Amino acid sequence: GLNVWLSLPYAEKVTQILLQRGWLVRSGQDFRVDQDISAIRISTSNMTEQQMQEFCQQLQQIYTVMVNL
């Protein structure tokens, strides 16, 4: 399937929240070798266009809260 990598601050916390909401994502930290990776991997292969839009809305909401803490 198609996976999208999105680099962003607070990736670990954003990943946890998205997982709790039922989205199939993984933290970049799961793939690190020698350095920290502040990113999330999003599995999109089974997502409909509507699900992608919902995901983007939730991601924006979560990220906005995180940067304004």
Side-chain angles (χ1 to χ4, degrees):
L2 178 63
N3 295 303
V4 176
W5 282 90
L6 180 62
S7 178
L8 72 160
Y10 314 108
E12 190 72 23
K13 187 62 178 170
V14 170
T15 299
Q16 292 172 359
I17 295 169
L18 287 168
L19 284 169
Q20 290 172 350
R21 293 184 179 191
W23 296 105
L24 185 56
V25 296
R26 288 189 61 189
S27 169
Q29 293 297 84
D30 294 343
F31 301 93
R32 73 174 183 211
V33 177
D34 293 329
Q35 62 185 357
D36 287 342
I37 301 173
S38 185
I40 61 174
R41 189 182 82 165
I42 307 159
S43 297
T44 63
S45 59
N46 294 323
M47 291 174 75
T48 65
E49 184 176 341
Q50 182 178 352
Q51 288 171 323
M52 287 182 191
Q53 290 175 357
E54 177 65 25
F55 176 83
C56 289
Q57 290 172 349
Q58 288 190 31
L59 177 60
Q60 180 183 16
Q61 177 190 39
I62 294 164
Y63 186 74
T64 299
V65 169
M66 295 300 296
V67 297
N68 289 311
L69 286 178

